[in-house]
Amino acid sequence: NGEGVERNYIKARELFEKAAEYKYDEANFYLGKLYYWADGVEEDRAKAREYFEKAAEKGSQNAKDALAEYYVD
């Protein structure tokens, strides 16, 4: 839950990228969130969509919901 740990979005991005390489599909959803909300990275909505789509293709309900919001937003 991150309690007692300082937020570090750059480290989070690095770890999510590694997790995605090892086929942890939900990591793509979290990468999408970072790029969508510009948390520790430059905002890039197109890149966020790509990550959401990758995760959604693997069955991530979170990513499917995020894509729906992306297209409404």
Side-chain angles (χ1 to χ4, degrees):
N1 69 3
E3 188 173 321
V5 177
E6 188 174 324
R7 285 185 186 200
N8 184 335
Y9 292 111
I10 294 168
K11 184 68 173 173
R13 180 184 49 86
E14 292 171 5
L15 292 172
F16 286 135
E17 286 173 346
K18 260 187 191 173
E21 287 175 20
Y22 286 97
K23 309 297 185 224
Y24 176 61
D25 300 319
E26 202 69 10
N28 285 308
F29 163 69
Y30 290 110
L31 284 165
K33 282 181 61 173
L34 291 178
Y35 283 97
Y36 190 87
W37 295 109
D39 287 331
V41 296
E42 189 172 323
E43 181 181 308
D44 188 335
R45 296 280 172 102
K47 189 176 258 189
R49 187 190 72 240
E50 289 175 22
Y51 281 120
F52 291 151
E53 287 174 346
K54 284 181 186 179
E57 287 172 5
K58 300 293 184 178
S60 168
Q61 187 60 50
N62 287 327
K64 291 174 186 177
D65 293 343
L67 277 172
E69 288 181 34
Y70 177 90
Y71 288 112
V72 170
D73 207 12

